Amino acid sequence: MMNKYRVVLTTISSINIAHDGKVVNNLSFPSEHSHVKLRRIQTEEDIKITGEKFGWLIEIDIEEVDIDHAISQAYQMSELFITMMCLTSGVEASPSKIILSYDITEGKMEREFVQYFYDLPITRPQTVDIQIFANTLENVVGIDSDKKDRLARSIGWLRKGINEKDSLDQFLNLWQGLETLNPLLAKHFNCESSGKEVVEQKCVKSGDTFYVERTTKQGLERLVEETGVTRTEWKKLTNTRNGISHGYQKMNTLLAETLQYSPEIAVLLYKGICLIVDLPVDNAVVKHLNNVAPVKVGENSSSRHILVEEDVSKLAKQPALYPYFISEIKTKSLPDQNGFEVEHKLIPVMGCKKYGSHEIGVAGRELKIELVSVE
């Protein structure tokens, strides 16, 4: 059974849209199963609910099987509209940020409600021993000059991959780190062609033979062998990379594969870097890389409620005025448990005077949540 949901998102952008030469602040794009509305952030209420001082507020009403599917589909639709804004303007617009979502099906008394908060002041805990830090710095800075550029770029790609918020880009950043490291690995393993090979080709017009030099993956293949990655698994990783780069796999498939495989690529890249700089693999680092994900721990938290309201109109008494909560968060680090205690007070503002059960979740992995309250 399909229900109807409202999903509210936002983007930071200075892009203007005009009609007959006049800038418009409200746009509407209705279709059979959805209705997309874009409205420029203008009022104090807009700023309060989005957390942004300028940009666009995006409201999407959509039919879906449940609220999670509605949020996922609405996010993709929002990204499509933002991408079209970039394409037609050549100006930047930030990725969609989900604000809230709730059931707007007619005739229901209890409605699912989800709100996202982006002010959780935590990240994944990790303590680095000063001696390990110093040794790593010394080995990286002191590397042979002919290796320095590639090594620096490879480490940079690792960092970009860890920080990346898009799953496809995260995978590609990490993969690029491996590609950059490949010639150094080929030399490290004394591969026969040191990462390059000469290939005979023929001109399609004249038929003349000519030769080109190209990079091989010998270094990466030896790294795969040394680290215990199977040939079957390596083929899966390369197929995902080719599917992204050459655009022949479906997006949903690629999204699932990159979420699954990015940790494996991250660990492989880290171990390759350790080989080149002659440092032991740190299992604590491997543990964190095994949990690398586009959504970072503490990046946002969500609150799920049941709104008790039969009259849908009361949940949006004015245009773009939605039910929402104010969040008051206190955290206490628990380094021994690799987590945090979180006290999360939620104060209803509009349309939330009646609510049923509630629960709170935090984006990311390896985070312990305790002590939740609603006022």
Side-chain angles (χ1 to χ4, degrees):
M1 177 182 174
M2 303 288 278
N3 292 320
K4 194 172 184 180
Y5 299 93
R6 176 164 294 155
V7 185
V8 181
L9 312 95
T10 187
T11 181
I12 302 172
S13 176
S14 59
I15 296 172
N16 289 318
I17 298 178
H19 178 65
D20 292 335
K22 295 182 178 180
V23 173
V24 295
N25 293 319
N26 295 274
L27 300 99
S28 184
F29 300 88
S31 64
E32 184 179 358
H33 299 292
S34 64
H35 192 162
V36 180
K37 298 177 183 178
L38 282 76
R39 189 169 71 84
R40 182 167 289 285
I41 294 173
Q42 301 176 84
T43 68
E44 288 298 320
E45 199 65 36
D46 294 340
I47 295 172
K48 188 183 296 183
I49 196 170
T50 63
E52 311 297 351
K53 294 183 178 180
F54 71 98
W56 291 85
L57 187 147
I58 304 164
E59 175 189 302
I60 301 177
D61 292 352
I62 186 171
E63 294 180 8
E64 263 298 345
V65 293
D66 58 44
I67 197 167
D68 292 319
H69 281 84
I71 292 171
S72 176
Q73 289 299 313
Y75 181 84
Q76 293 184 45
M77 292 172 67
S78 176
E79 284 292 280
L80 171 64
F81 275 81
I82 294 172
T83 301
M84 292 305 102
M85 291 168 71
C86 288
L87 178 63
T88 54
S89 69
V91 175
E92 65 278 359
S94 68
S96 304
K97 186 168 76 172
I98 306 168
I99 304 301
L100 55 84
S101 179
Y102 56 97
D103 192 328
I104 57 170
T105 309
E106 293 286 350
K108 297 182 79 173
M109 179 61 74
E110 295 188 346
R111 305 175 181 281
E112 289 181 280
F113 173 91
V114 181
Q115 184 174 345
Y116 292 84
F117 302 94
Y118 297 87
D119 56 355
L120 197 59
I122 59 174
T123 184
R124 285 190 294 176
Q126 170 67 312
T127 301
V128 178
D129 183 271
I130 185 62
Q131 194 59 53
I132 294 176
F133 183 87
N135 290 344
T136 303
L137 180 63
E138 181 180 358
N139 285 24
V140 169
V141 173
I143 198 88
D144 294 344
S145 58
D146 61 332
K147 300 178 181 178
K148 191 163 290 185
D149 283 349
R150 282 192 175 274
L151 177 63
R153 292 181 186 183
S154 186
I155 295 172
W157 284 116
L158 176 63
R159 179 187 173 190
K160 285 175 68 69
I162 292 172
N163 290 340
E164 180 58 54
K165 299 178 185 297
D166 179 90
S167 64
L168 271 66
D169 288 343
Q170 181 175 70
F171 184 95
L172 287 178
N173 286 336
L174 296 168
W175 188 275
Q176 187 60 48
L178 284 175
E179 294 269 11
T180 304
L181 202 64
N182 176 59
L184 299 185
L185 290 169
K187 289 182 179 180
H188 175 83
F189 289 118
N190 296 317
C191 295
E192 185 176 345
S193 62
S194 296
K196 292 184 179 181
E197 65 180 357
V198 176
V199 181
E200 180 182 300
Q201 294 186 342
K202 283 190 176 183
C203 177
V204 294
K205 289 187 177 181
S206 66
D208 294 339
T209 299
F210 64 98
Y211 298 89
V212 296
E213 186 180 70
R214 68 184 184 188
T215 301
T216 69
K217 299 293 186 294
Q218 286 188 1
L220 294 184
E221 289 170 354
R222 283 293 306 275
L223 177 65
V224 166
E225 293 175 6
E226 292 291 324
T227 55
V229 178
T230 66
R231 286 287 176 180
T232 301
E233 191 67 16
W234 177 242
K235 187 175 182 179
K236 289 180 182 178
L237 300 178
T238 54
N239 285 343
T240 298
R241 180 265 179 191
N242 293 335
I244 300 172
S245 299
H246 303 299
Y248 62 80
Q249 283 193 31
K250 292 183 178 180
M251 184 62 70
N252 287 342
T253 300
L254 289 174
L255 288 172
E257 288 180 354
T258 51
L259 286 172
Q260 179 181 353
Y261 297 144
S262 284
E264 197 165 348
I265 295 292
V267 172
L268 195 61
L269 174 55
Y270 168 68
K271 289 182 176 179
I273 292 170
C274 287
L275 281 176
I276 300 304
V277 298
D278 192 27
L279 286 171
V281 171
D282 189 331
N283 290 331
V285 177
V286 171
K287 177 181 178 181
H288 282 292
L289 292 177
N290 273 323
N291 286 286
V292 73
V295 180
K296 316 306 178 188
V297 166
E299 186 173 63
N300 66 66
S301 59
S302 62
S303 174
R304 291 178 178 260
H305 297 260
I306 299 296
L307 302 184
V308 183
E309 180 56 69
E310 187 173 8
D311 187 352
V312 177
S313 65
K314 291 183 179 180
L315 299 178
K317 295 178 182 178
Q318 302 174 29
L321 187 58
Y322 312 100
Y324 71 99
F325 290 82
I326 291 176
S327 169
E328 294 182 355
I329 299 175
K330 295 180 181 178
T331 62
K332 178 183 177 183
S333 177
L334 302 173
D336 294 339
Q337 300 178 37
N338 197 29
F340 295 82
E341 286 182 348
V342 180
E343 183 179 356
H344 198 162
K345 293 184 179 180
L346 298 171
I347 304 169
V349 178
M350 197 287 290
C352 298
K353 297 302 181 184
K354 296 181 180 179
Y355 52 84
S357 59
H358 67 274
E359 60 182 34
I360 187 170
V362 175
R365 306 177 184 180
E366 289 193 347
L367 188 67
K368 182 179 179 181
I369 298 299
E370 295 181 357
L371 198 58
V372 178
S373 64
V374 177
E375 294 185 353

Coordinates of all heavy atoms in Angstrom, one line a residue, residues 189-259:
F189 N 57.9 -4.2 -5.5 CA 57.8 -5.7 -5.6 C 58.7 -6.2 -6.7 O 58.6 -7.4 -7.1 CB 56.3 -6.1 -5.9 CG 55.4 -6.0 -4.8 CD1 54.3 -5.1 -4.8 CD2 55.6 -6.7 -3.6 CE1 53.5 -4.9 -3.7 CE2 54.7 -6.6 -2.5 CZ 53.7 -5.7 -2.6
N190 N 59.5 -5.3 -7.3 CA 60.4 -5.7 -8.4 C 59.7 -6.3 -9.6 O 60.1 -7.4 -10.1 CB 61.5 -6.6 -7.9 CG 62.4 -5.9 -6.9 OD1 62.8 -4.8 -7.1 ND2 62.7 -6.6 -5.8
C191 N 58.6 -5.8 -9.9 CA 57.8 -6.3 -11.1 C 58.6 -6.1 -12.4 O 59.4 -5.1 -12.5 CB 56.5 -5.6 -11.2 SG 55.4 -5.9 -9.8
E192 N 58.5 -7.0 -13.3 CA 59.3 -7.1 -14.5 C 59.3 -5.8 -15.3 O 60.3 -5.3 -15.7 CB 58.8 -8.3 -15.4 CG 59.7 -8.5 -16.6 CD 59.3 -9.7 -17.4 OE1 58.5 -10.5 -16.8 OE2 59.8 -9.8 -18.5
S193 N 58.1 -5.2 -15.5 CA 58.0 -4.0 -16.3 C 57.9 -2.7 -15.5 O 57.6 -1.7 -16.0 CB 56.8 -4.1 -17.2 OG 55.6 -4.2 -16.4
S194 N 58.0 -2.8 -14.2 CA 58.0 -1.7 -13.3 C 56.7 -0.9 -13.5 O 56.7 0.4 -13.4 CB 59.2 -0.8 -13.4 OG 60.3 -1.5 -13.0
G195 N 55.6 -1.5 -13.8 CA 54.3 -0.8 -13.9 C 54.0 -0.3 -15.3 O 53.0 0.3 -15.5
K196 N 54.9 -0.6 -16.3 CA 54.6 -0.1 -17.6 C 54.8 -1.2 -18.6 O 55.6 -2.2 -18.4 CB 55.5 1.1 -18.0 CG 55.1 2.3 -17.2 CD 56.0 3.5 -17.6 CE 55.6 4.8 -16.8 NZ 56.4 6.0 -17.2
E197 N 54.1 -1.2 -19.7 CA 54.3 -2.2 -20.8 C 54.2 -1.5 -22.1 O 53.5 -0.5 -22.3 CB 53.3 -3.3 -20.6 CG 51.9 -2.9 -20.8 CD 50.9 -4.1 -20.7 OE1 51.4 -5.2 -20.5 OE2 49.7 -3.9 -20.8
V198 N 54.8 -2.1 -23.2 CA 54.7 -1.6 -24.5 C 53.7 -2.5 -25.3 O 53.9 -3.7 -25.3 CB 56.1 -1.6 -25.2 CG1 56.0 -1.1 -26.7 CG2 57.0 -0.6 -24.4
V199 N 52.8 -1.9 -26.0 CA 51.7 -2.6 -26.7 C 51.8 -2.3 -28.1 O 51.8 -1.1 -28.5 CB 50.3 -2.3 -26.1 CG1 49.3 -3.1 -26.8 CG2 50.3 -2.5 -24.6
E200 N 51.7 -3.3 -29.0 CA 51.7 -3.1 -30.4 C 50.3 -2.8 -30.9 O 49.4 -3.5 -30.5 CB 52.3 -4.4 -31.1 CG 52.3 -4.3 -32.6 CD 52.8 -5.5 -33.3 OE1 53.9 -5.9 -33.0 OE2 52.0 -6.2 -34.1
Q201 N 50.1 -1.8 -31.7 CA 48.8 -1.5 -32.3 C 48.9 -1.1 -33.7 O 50.0 -0.9 -34.3 CB 48.2 -0.3 -31.5 CG 47.9 -0.6 -30.0 CD 47.2 0.6 -29.4 OE1 47.2 1.7 -29.8 NE2 46.5 0.3 -28.3
K202 N 47.8 -1.1 -34.4 CA 47.8 -0.8 -35.9 C 46.9 0.4 -36.1 O 45.8 0.5 -35.5 CB 47.3 -2.0 -36.7 CG 48.3 -3.1 -36.9 CD 47.9 -4.1 -37.9 CE 49.0 -5.2 -38.1 NZ 48.6 -6.1 -39.1
C203 N 47.3 1.3 -37.0 CA 46.5 2.4 -37.4 C 45.3 1.9 -38.3 O 45.5 1.1 -39.2 CB 47.4 3.4 -38.3 SG 46.5 4.8 -38.9
V204 N 44.1 2.4 -37.9 CA 42.9 1.9 -38.6 C 42.8 2.4 -40.0 O 42.1 1.9 -40.9 CB 41.6 2.3 -37.8 CG1 41.6 1.6 -36.5 CG2 41.6 3.8 -37.6
K205 N 43.6 3.5 -40.3 CA 43.5 4.1 -41.7 C 44.6 3.5 -42.6 O 44.3 3.1 -43.7 CB 43.6 5.6 -41.6 CG 42.4 6.3 -41.1 CD 42.5 7.8 -41.2 CE 41.2 8.5 -40.7 NZ 41.3 10.0 -40.8
S206 N 45.8 3.6 -42.1 CA 47.0 3.2 -42.9 C 47.3 1.7 -42.8 O 47.9 1.1 -43.7 CB 48.2 4.0 -42.6 OG 48.7 3.8 -41.3
G207 N 47.0 1.1 -41.7 CA 47.4 -0.2 -41.4 C 48.8 -0.4 -40.9 O 49.3 -1.5 -40.6
D208 N 49.5 0.7 -40.7 CA 50.8 0.7 -40.1 C 50.9 0.3 -38.7 O 50.0 0.6 -37.9 CB 51.5 2.1 -40.3 CG 51.7 2.5 -41.8 OD1 51.7 1.6 -42.6 OD2 51.8 3.7 -42.0
T209 N 51.9 -0.4 -38.3 CA 52.1 -0.8 -36.9 C 52.8 0.3 -36.1 O 53.8 0.9 -36.6 CB 53.0 -2.1 -36.9 OG1 52.3 -3.1 -37.6 CG2 53.2 -2.5 -35.4
F210 N 52.3 0.5 -34.9 CA 53.0 1.5 -34.0 C 52.9 0.9 -32.6 O 52.2 0.0 -32.3 CB 52.4 2.9 -34.1 CG 51.0 3.0 -33.7 CD1 50.7 3.4 -32.4 CD2 50.0 2.7 -34.5 CE1 49.4 3.6 -32.0 CE2 48.6 2.8 -34.1 CZ 48.4 3.2 -32.8
Y211 N 53.7 1.5 -31.7 CA 53.8 1.0 -30.3 C 53.5 2.1 -29.3 O 53.9 3.3 -29.5 CB 55.2 0.5 -30.1 CG 55.5 -0.7 -31.0 CD1 56.2 -0.5 -32.2 CD2 55.3 -2.0 -30.6 CE1 56.5 -1.5 -33.0 CE2 55.6 -3.1 -31.4 CZ 56.2 -2.8 -32.7 OH 56.5 -3.9 -33.5
V212 N 52.7 1.8 -28.3 CA 52.4 2.7 -27.3 C 52.8 2.1 -25.9 O 52.8 0.9 -25.7 CB 50.9 3.1 -27.2 CG1 50.5 3.8 -28.5 CG2 50.0 1.9 -27.0
E213 N 53.2 3.0 -25.0 CA 53.5 2.6 -23.6 C 52.4 2.9 -22.7 O 51.8 4.0 -22.8 CB 54.8 3.3 -23.1 CG 55.3 2.8 -21.8 CD 56.5 3.6 -21.3 OE1 56.4 4.8 -21.0 OE2 57.6 3.0 -21.3
R214 N 52.0 1.9 -21.9 CA 50.8 2.2 -21.0 C 51.1 1.6 -19.6 O 52.0 0.7 -19.5 CB 49.5 1.6 -21.6 CG 49.5 0.0 -21.6 CD 48.3 -0.5 -22.3 NE 48.2 -1.9 -22.2 CZ 47.3 -2.7 -22.9 NH1 46.4 -2.1 -23.6 NH2 47.3 -4.0 -22.8
T215 N 50.4 2.1 -18.7 CA 50.6 1.6 -17.3 C 49.9 0.3 -17.1 O 48.8 0.2 -17.5 CB 50.0 2.7 -16.3 OG1 50.7 3.9 -16.5 CG2 50.3 2.3 -14.9
T216 N 50.5 -0.6 -16.4 CA 49.9 -1.8 -16.0 C 49.5 -1.8 -14.6 O 49.8 -0.8 -13.9 CB 50.9 -3.0 -16.2 OG1 51.9 -2.9 -15.2 CG2 51.5 -3.0 -17.6
K217 N 48.8 -2.8 -14.1 CA 48.4 -2.9 -12.7 C 49.2 -3.9 -12.0 O 48.8 -4.5 -11.0 CB 46.9 -3.3 -12.7 CG 45.9 -2.3 -13.4 CD 45.9 -1.0 -12.6 CE 44.9 -0.1 -13.2 NZ 45.2 0.4 -14.6
Q218 N 50.4 -4.1 -12.4 CA 51.2 -5.2 -11.8 C 51.5 -4.9 -10.3 O 51.4 -5.8 -9.5 CB 52.6 -5.3 -12.5 CG 52.5 -6.0 -13.8 CD 53.9 -6.2 -14.4 OE1 54.9 -5.9 -13.8 NE2 53.9 -6.8 -15.6
G219 N 51.7 -3.6 -10.0 CA 52.0 -3.3 -8.6 C 50.7 -3.6 -7.7 O 50.8 -4.1 -6.6
L220 N 49.6 -3.2 -8.2 CA 48.3 -3.4 -7.5 C 48.0 -4.9 -7.3 O 47.6 -5.4 -6.3 CB 47.2 -2.7 -8.1 CG 47.2 -1.2 -8.1 CD1 45.9 -0.6 -8.8 CD2 47.4 -0.6 -6.7
E221 N 48.3 -5.6 -8.4 CA 48.0 -7.0 -8.4 C 48.9 -7.8 -7.4 O 48.4 -8.7 -6.7 CB 48.2 -7.6 -9.8 CG 47.1 -7.2 -10.8 CD 47.4 -7.5 -12.2 OE1 48.6 -8.0 -12.4 OE2 46.6 -7.3 -13.1
R222 N 50.2 -7.3 -7.2 CA 51.0 -7.9 -6.2 C 50.6 -7.5 -4.8 O 50.6 -8.3 -3.9 CB 52.5 -7.5 -6.4 CG 53.2 -8.2 -7.6 CD 53.4 -9.7 -7.2 NE 54.1 -9.9 -6.0 CZ 55.4 -9.9 -5.8 NH1 56.2 -9.7 -6.9 NH2 56.0 -10.1 -4.7
L223 N 50.1 -6.3 -4.7 CA 49.6 -5.8 -3.4 C 48.3 -6.7 -3.0 O 48.2 -7.1 -1.8 CB 49.2 -4.3 -3.4 CG 48.6 -3.7 -2.2 CD1 49.6 -3.8 -1.0 CD2 48.1 -2.3 -2.4
V224 N 47.5 -6.9 -3.9 CA 46.3 -7.8 -3.7 C 46.7 -9.1 -3.2 O 46.2 -9.7 -2.2 CB 45.5 -7.9 -5.0 CG1 44.4 -9.0 -4.9 CG2 44.8 -6.5 -5.3
E225 N 47.7 -9.7 -3.9 CA 48.2 -11.0 -3.4 C 48.8 -11.0 -2.0 O 48.5 -11.9 -1.2 CB 49.3 -11.5 -4.4 CG 48.8 -11.8 -5.8 CD 49.9 -12.2 -6.8 OE1 51.1 -12.3 -6.3 OE2 49.6 -12.3 -8.0
E226 N 49.6 -10.0 -1.8 CA 50.3 -9.9 -0.5 C 49.3 -9.7 0.7 O 49.6 -10.1 1.8 CB 51.3 -8.7 -0.5 CG 52.5 -9.0 -1.4 CD 53.4 -10.0 -0.9 OE1 53.6 -10.2 0.3 OE2 54.0 -10.8 -1.7
T227 N 48.2 -9.0 0.4 CA 47.3 -8.7 1.5 C 46.1 -9.7 1.6 O 45.2 -9.5 2.5 CB 46.7 -7.2 1.3 OG1 46.1 -7.2 0.0 CG2 47.7 -6.2 1.4
G228 N 46.1 -10.7 0.8 CA 45.1 -11.8 0.9 C 43.8 -11.5 0.2 O 42.8 -12.3 0.5
V229 N 43.7 -10.5 -0.6 CA 42.4 -10.3 -1.3 C 42.4 -11.3 -2.5 O 43.3 -11.4 -3.2 CB 42.4 -8.8 -1.9 CG1 41.1 -8.6 -2.7 CG2 42.5 -7.8 -0.8
T230 N 41.3 -12.0 -2.6 CA 41.2 -13.0 -3.6 C 41.0 -12.4 -5.0 O 40.6 -11.3 -5.1 CB 40.0 -14.0 -3.3 OG1 38.8 -13.2 -3.4 CG2 40.1 -14.5 -1.9
R231 N 41.3 -13.2 -6.0 CA 41.1 -12.8 -7.4 C 39.7 -12.5 -7.7 O 39.4 -11.5 -8.4 CB 41.6 -13.9 -8.3 CG 43.2 -14.0 -8.4 CD 43.7 -12.8 -9.1 NE 45.2 -12.8 -9.1 CZ 46.0 -11.9 -9.7 NH1 45.3 -10.9 -10.3 NH2 47.3 -11.9 -9.7
T232 N 38.8 -13.3 -7.1 CA 37.4 -13.0 -7.3 C 36.9 -11.7 -6.7 O 36.2 -10.9 -7.4 CB 36.5 -14.2 -6.7 OG1 36.9 -15.4 -7.3 CG2 35.0 -13.9 -6.9
E233 N 37.4 -11.4 -5.5 CA 37.1 -10.2 -4.9 C 37.7 -9.0 -5.6 O 37.0 -7.9 -5.8 CB 37.6 -10.2 -3.4 CG 37.1 -9.0 -2.6 CD 35.6 -9.1 -2.3 OE1 35.0 -10.2 -2.5 OE2 35.0 -8.1 -1.9
W234 N 38.9 -9.1 -6.1 CA 39.6 -8.1 -6.9 C 38.8 -7.8 -8.2 O 38.7 -6.6 -8.6 CB 41.0 -8.4 -7.1 CG 41.8 -7.5 -8.0 CD1 42.3 -7.7 -9.2 CD2 42.1 -6.1 -7.6 NE1 43.0 -6.6 -9.6 CE2 42.8 -5.6 -8.7 CE3 41.8 -5.3 -6.5 CZ2 43.3 -4.3 -8.7 CZ3 42.3 -4.0 -6.5 CH2 43.0 -3.5 -7.6
K235 N 38.3 -8.8 -8.8 CA 37.5 -8.6 -10.0 C 36.2 -7.8 -9.7 O 35.8 -7.0 -10.5 CB 37.2 -10.0 -10.6 CG 36.5 -9.8 -12.0 CD 36.3 -11.2 -12.6 CE 35.7 -11.1 -14.0 NZ 35.5 -12.4 -14.7
K236 N 35.6 -8.1 -8.6 CA 34.4 -7.3 -8.2 C 34.7 -5.9 -8.0 O 34.0 -5.0 -8.5 CB 33.8 -7.9 -6.9 CG 33.2 -9.3 -7.0 CD 32.6 -9.7 -5.7 CE 32.0 -11.1 -5.8 NZ 31.5 -11.6 -4.5
L237 N 35.9 -5.6 -7.4 CA 36.3 -4.2 -7.1 C 36.5 -3.5 -8.4 O 36.1 -2.3 -8.6 CB 37.5 -4.2 -6.2 CG 37.4 -4.8 -4.9 CD1 38.7 -4.7 -4.1 CD2 36.3 -4.1 -4.0
T238 N 37.2 -4.1 -9.4 CA 37.6 -3.5 -10.6 C 36.3 -3.3 -11.5 O 36.2 -2.3 -12.2 CB 38.6 -4.3 -11.4 OG1 38.1 -5.7 -11.6 CG2 39.9 -4.3 -10.7
N239 N 35.4 -4.3 -11.4 CA 34.1 -4.1 -12.2 C 33.3 -2.9 -11.7 O 32.7 -2.2 -12.5 CB 33.3 -5.4 -12.0 CG 33.8 -6.5 -12.9 OD1 34.6 -6.3 -13.8 ND2 33.4 -7.8 -12.6
T240 N 33.3 -2.7 -10.3 CA 32.6 -1.6 -9.8 C 33.3 -0.3 -10.3 O 32.6 0.7 -10.7 CB 32.6 -1.6 -8.3 OG1 31.9 -2.8 -7.8 CG2 31.9 -0.4 -7.7
R241 N 34.6 -0.2 -10.2 CA 35.3 1.0 -10.7 C 35.0 1.2 -12.2 O 34.7 2.4 -12.5 CB 36.8 0.7 -10.5 CG 37.7 1.9 -11.0 CD 38.1 1.7 -12.4 NE 38.9 2.8 -12.9 CZ 39.3 3.0 -14.1 NH1 38.9 2.1 -15.1 NH2 40.0 4.0 -14.5
N242 N 35.0 0.2 -13.0 CA 34.7 0.4 -14.4 C 33.2 0.8 -14.6 O 32.9 1.6 -15.5 CB 35.0 -0.9 -15.2 CG 36.5 -1.2 -15.2 OD1 37.3 -0.3 -15.1 ND2 36.8 -2.5 -15.4
G243 N 32.4 0.3 -13.8 CA 30.9 0.6 -13.9 C 30.7 2.1 -13.6 O 29.8 2.7 -14.3
I244 N 31.4 2.6 -12.7 CA 31.3 4.0 -12.3 C 31.9 4.9 -13.4 O 31.3 5.8 -14.0 CB 32.0 4.4 -11.0 CG1 31.3 3.6 -9.8 CG2 31.9 5.9 -10.7 CD1 32.1 3.7 -8.5
S245 N 33.2 4.6 -13.8 CA 33.9 5.4 -14.7 C 33.3 5.4 -16.1 O 33.4 6.4 -16.8 CB 35.4 5.0 -14.8 OG 36.0 5.1 -13.5
H246 N 32.8 4.3 -16.5 CA 32.3 4.2 -17.9 C 30.8 4.2 -18.0 O 30.2 4.1 -19.1 CB 32.8 2.9 -18.5 CG 34.3 2.8 -18.5 ND1 35.1 3.7 -19.2 CD2 35.2 2.0 -17.9 CE1 36.4 3.4 -19.0 NE2 36.5 2.4 -18.2
G247 N 30.1 4.3 -16.8 CA 28.7 4.5 -16.8 C 27.8 3.5 -17.4 O 26.7 3.7 -17.9
Y248 N 28.2 2.2 -17.2 CA 27.3 1.1 -17.8 C 26.6 0.3 -16.8 O 25.8 -0.6 -17.1 CB 28.2 0.2 -18.7 CG 29.3 -0.6 -18.0 CD1 29.0 -1.7 -17.2 CD2 30.6 -0.2 -18.1 CE1 30.0 -2.4 -16.5 CE2 31.6 -0.9 -17.4 CZ 31.3 -2.0 -16.7 OH 32.3 -2.7 -16.0
Q249 N 26.7 0.6 -15.5 CA 25.9 -0.1 -14.5 C 24.8 0.9 -13.9 O 25.0 2.1 -13.9 CB 26.8 -0.5 -13.3 CG 27.6 -1.8 -13.7 CD 28.3 -2.4 -12.4 OE1 27.7 -2.3 -11.3 NE2 29.4 -3.0 -12.6
K250 N 23.8 0.3 -13.4 CA 22.7 1.1 -12.9 C 23.1 1.7 -11.6 O 23.9 1.2 -10.8 CB 21.5 0.2 -12.6 CG 20.8 -0.4 -13.9 CD 19.6 -1.2 -13.6 CE 18.9 -1.7 -14.8 NZ 17.7 -2.5 -14.5
M251 N 22.6 2.9 -11.4 CA 23.0 3.7 -10.2 C 22.7 3.0 -8.9 O 23.6 3.0 -8.0 CB 22.2 5.1 -10.2 CG 22.7 6.0 -9.1 SD 24.4 6.5 -9.2 CE 24.3 7.5 -10.7
N252 N 21.5 2.4 -8.7 CA 21.2 1.7 -7.5 C 22.2 0.6 -7.2 O 22.6 0.3 -6.0 CB 19.8 1.1 -7.5 CG 18.8 2.2 -7.4 OD1 19.0 3.3 -7.0 ND2 17.5 1.9 -7.8
T253 N 22.7 -0.1 -8.2 CA 23.7 -1.2 -8.1 C 25.0 -0.6 -7.6 O 25.6 -1.1 -6.7 CB 23.9 -2.0 -9.4 OG1 22.6 -2.5 -9.8 CG2 24.9 -3.0 -9.3
L254 N 25.4 0.5 -8.3 CA 26.7 1.1 -7.9 C 26.7 1.7 -6.5 O 27.7 1.6 -5.8 CB 27.0 2.2 -8.9 CG 27.4 1.7 -10.3 CD1 27.5 2.9 -11.3 CD2 28.6 0.9 -10.3
L255 N 25.6 2.3 -6.1 CA 25.5 2.8 -4.8 C 25.7 1.7 -3.7 O 26.4 1.9 -2.7 CB 24.1 3.5 -4.5 CG 23.9 4.8 -5.3 CD1 22.5 5.3 -5.1 CD2 24.9 5.9 -4.8
A256 N 25.0 0.6 -3.9 CA 25.1 -0.5 -3.0 C 26.6 -1.1 -3.0 O 27.1 -1.4 -1.9 CB 24.1 -1.7 -3.4
E257 N 27.2 -1.2 -4.2 CA 28.5 -1.8 -4.3 C 29.6 -0.9 -3.7 O 30.5 -1.4 -3.0 CB 28.8 -2.1 -5.8 CG 28.0 -3.3 -6.3 CD 28.4 -3.5 -7.8 OE1 29.2 -2.7 -8.4 OE2 27.9 -4.5 -8.3
T258 N 29.4 0.4 -3.9 CA 30.5 1.3 -3.4 C 30.4 1.4 -1.8 O 31.4 1.5 -1.2 CB 30.3 2.7 -4.0 OG1 28.9 3.2 -3.8 CG2 30.7 2.8 -5.4
L259 N 29.2 1.3 -1.3 CA 29.1 1.3 0.2 C 29.7 0.0 0.7 O 30.3 0.0 1.8 CB 27.6 1.3 0.6 CG 26.9 2.7 0.4 CD1 25.4 2.6 0.7 CD2 27.5 3.7 1.4

